[in-house]
Amino acid sequence: MVGSENLILRIEGIRSEDDRMEVKRVLENINGVSWVCVDGTAGTAVVIFDPDETLQDELINAVMEAGYTVKRFFNS
């Protein structure tokens, strides 16, 4: 995709399906995010976003503000 980046977040605190859905909803509500997949078992979220519309720090901060801990992140 032109104008898109992938971000993989390692997240602590996803303990239930409700947590998984909350993280997905928080990320999907950010401008520039086109796709989100949250794996609660692995504790990861993959986000495809437009870096011209949002910064990866905004994605990480949104997850942290929702009460979860971002342990690591990878750009690909």
Side-chain angles (χ1 to χ4, degrees):
M1 272 186 241
V2 175
S4 69
E5 286 186 18
N6 295 348
L7 182 65
I8 303 168
L9 302 172
R10 173 78 52 158
I11 302 169
E12 258 186 21
I14 301 175
R15 294 182 173 83
S16 67
E17 179 65 9
D18 287 344
D19 288 340
R20 189 186 75 77
M21 292 304 294
E22 180 180 12
V23 170
K24 183 174 170 61
R25 186 181 67 250
V26 163
L27 290 167
E28 286 177 336
N29 285 333
I30 297 172
N31 285 342
V33 172
S34 58
W35 186 81
V36 177
C37 180
V38 179
D39 183 333
T41 304
T44 58
V46 179
V47 185
I48 298 176
F49 68 102
D50 183 341
D52 293 331
E53 290 190 47
T54 190
L55 301 173
Q56 74 178 26
D57 285 352
E58 291 178 62
L59 303 170
I60 294 166
N61 289 338
V63 172
M64 291 172 39
E65 286 172 12
Y68 302 91
T69 302
V70 176
K71 297 300 283 182
R72 288 184 293 179
F73 59 91
F74 309 91
N75 253 37
S76 59

